[in-house]
Amino acid sequence: MLDQTHSPTSPRAFTVAPMMEWSDRHCRYFWRLMSKRAFLYTEMVTCGALIHGDRERFLNYNSEEHPLALQVGGSNPQELAACAKMAESWGYDEINLNCGCPSDRVQNGMIGACLMGHPQLVADCIKAMQDATSIPVTVKHRIGIDDMDDYQGLTDFVEPIAATGCLTFIVHARKAWLKGLSPKENREVPPLNYERVHLLKREHPQLEIILNGGLSTIDECIEQLAYVDGVMVGREAYHNPWLLTDVDSAIYGEAPQTQDRLMIMANMLQYIEKQLSEGMRLHHITRHLLGLFYGQPGGKQFRRVISEGAHKANAGVELVDLALDQIRSRM
């Protein structure tokens, strides 16, 4: 770890990315046990799901999760304004518009990265959301799409949105190919271009620029904070959540939340018991815990016990305790 700590001015100096089917409320509760300062984002929820679907299912969260942003997907200004009102009424700290997801499924609904080709529409959406709420409205996007792959294309997207008064742009430092690459390939194949994001910040110092893409260590995050206002970490935080225990001290200069994996699990056992009593299935929670003991003695055995048993109908907190015995016996 680098010796210096960073003294951030933004609450978004370290953020954890919205990740479909991963960053649900159980996962976010788990992450919060390791960092009180990391800014968390929900999975993307479409406007249609919020307006016509099970609103409580999509919007419920644990009070411990703050600071917390709701990420939405859509392209209709009136619908997005309605979602922004919901976000504020439910107590979210921010609402974020997804302009970065490249999947065919969301493109067909005019959602995600395809919106980078329609900057004025995005600006109209952001303005409608701003008019509907007092919480911050932010945007997450790529550095480009398809053949729109130069700095001018990036600024042509950002500047009309910034003209609405939107200040925060979370920039995944890869372009997206809307055809020919899967969402997974779009996270790995297009090369990272951090310099383009750095240039965006240098030329637009009034904007808050958060860099996303390829970051896997706290040291790498600290290095990027010399050029941008914040960083966003995604899959590394999911697969190796222990890195979050360094966020409060290394990024924010505060006391760490905890440095004991078993203490984290003791808290999670209480959480699991409560959730099971309310009808939740065990595997919906424990699937997020598998990386906690990554690289630790007994870690493989811990993951095996949970993976083999948590999906069973009668699985309870005793299974998690049995999995933890694989760790305790090697201490």
Side-chain angles (χ1 to χ4, degrees):
M1 170 119 4
L2 296 176
D3 290 336
Q4 76 268 30
T5 59
H6 185 69
S7 298
T9 58
S10 169
R12 300 178 192 82
F14 186 97
T15 63
V16 184
M19 291 176 279
M20 291 298 293
E21 300 183 357
W22 286 5
S23 56
D24 65 18
R25 64 188 178 96
H26 307 305
C27 185
R28 299 190 306 263
Y29 180 88
F30 172 54
W31 284 338
R32 188 56 76 206
L33 297 176
M34 288 169 277
S35 169
K36 69 180 185 296
R37 290 298 306 272
F39 208 112
L40 304 182
Y41 286 72
T42 70
E43 304 170 86
M44 183 188 73
V45 186
T46 65
C47 286
L50 288 176
I51 294 170
H52 306 295
D54 185 347
R55 194 171 301 174
E56 186 166 324
R57 172 192 161 201
F58 292 116
L59 292 177
N60 264 356
Y61 60 88
N62 305 286
S63 60
E64 294 87 350
E65 294 173 42
H66 291 289
L68 177 64
L70 173 69
Q71 189 186 66
V72 292
S75 56
N76 180 293
Q78 291 73 37
E79 291 181 351
L80 285 164
C83 293
K85 289 180 181 178
M86 290 181 211
E88 183 169 23
S89 67
W90 280 72
Y92 283 89
D93 302 297
E94 171 191 323
I95 184 165
N96 176 267
L97 179 62
N98 185 318
C99 296
C101 180
S103 89
D104 290 339
R105 186 173 50 142
V106 299
Q107 285 181 56
N108 293 335
M110 197 62 172
I111 297 170
C114 63
L115 288 173
M116 289 199 70
H118 305 274
Q120 190 54 54
L121 173 60
V122 176
D124 293 343
C125 290
I126 294 298
K127 182 65 166 61
M129 295 165 76
Q130 291 169 334
D131 289 345
T133 183
S134 62
I135 62 175
V137 180
T138 67
V139 185
K140 186 174 188 295
H141 58 94
R142 297 287 185 123
I143 56 172
I145 53 172
D146 297 337
D147 294 328
M148 188 188 98
D149 185 24
D150 57 20
Y151 180 69
Q152 186 62 50
L154 177 60
T155 57
D156 287 347
F157 175 76
V158 167
E159 288 174 356
I161 301 168
T164 71
C166 179
L167 294 176
T168 302
F169 294 78
I170 302 169
V171 190
H172 187 157
R174 287 186 174 93
K175 77 170 185 179
W177 284 105
L178 300 183
K179 301 292 182 183
L181 292 182
S182 69
K184 180 178 186 297
E185 290 169 331
N186 261 304
R187 293 191 298 269
E188 300 168 353
V189 174
L192 287 163
N193 189 335
Y194 290 164
E195 175 53 34
R196 192 173 297 174
V197 183
H198 299 167
L199 180 59
L200 184 68
K201 175 60 185 177
R202 288 198 302 272
E203 295 199 347
H204 300 80
Q206 77 282 12
L207 300 179
E208 179 181 46
I209 304 298
I210 313 298
L211 184 144
N212 173 226
L215 299 171
S216 60
T217 70
I218 297 297
D219 284 356
E220 290 172 354
C221 293
I222 292 172
E223 289 169 6
Q224 289 304 315
L225 289 171
Y227 305 100
V228 293
D229 301 292
V231 294
M232 175 173 277
V233 176
R235 277 151 180 78
E236 186 66 23
Y238 190 86
H239 293 303
N240 181 25
W242 188 247
L243 73 82
L244 295 176
T245 60
D246 286 326
V247 166
D248 293 0
S249 57
I251 304 295
Y252 293 95
E254 299 182 1
Q257 184 85 328
T258 181
Q259 292 292 320
D260 188 314
R261 288 176 170 88
L262 289 178
M263 284 179 59
I264 290 169
M265 285 305 303
N267 190 305
M268 284 305 300
L269 286 172
Q270 295 179 16
Y271 177 81
I272 289 168
E273 282 189 313
K274 181 176 185 296
Q275 293 297 318
L276 293 181
S277 73
E278 297 172 359
M280 185 59 58
R281 294 285 297 273
L282 182 66
H283 72 94
H284 289 306
I285 305 171
T286 54
R287 65 193 184 97
H288 302 306
L289 312 181
L290 299 179
L292 181 60
F293 294 99
Y294 175 78
Q296 299 296 299
K300 289 182 180 179
Q301 292 79 8
F302 171 82
R303 292 191 293 274
R304 177 180 54 78
V305 171
I306 289 180
S307 297
E308 291 178 357
H311 66 282
K312 296 178 180 178
N314 62 345
V317 71
E318 300 81 9
L319 178 77
V320 184
D321 207 43
L322 179 63
L324 286 170
D325 283 341
Q326 310 303 311
I327 304 296
R328 299 183 188 112
S329 66
R330 291 166 172 80
M331 293 180 68

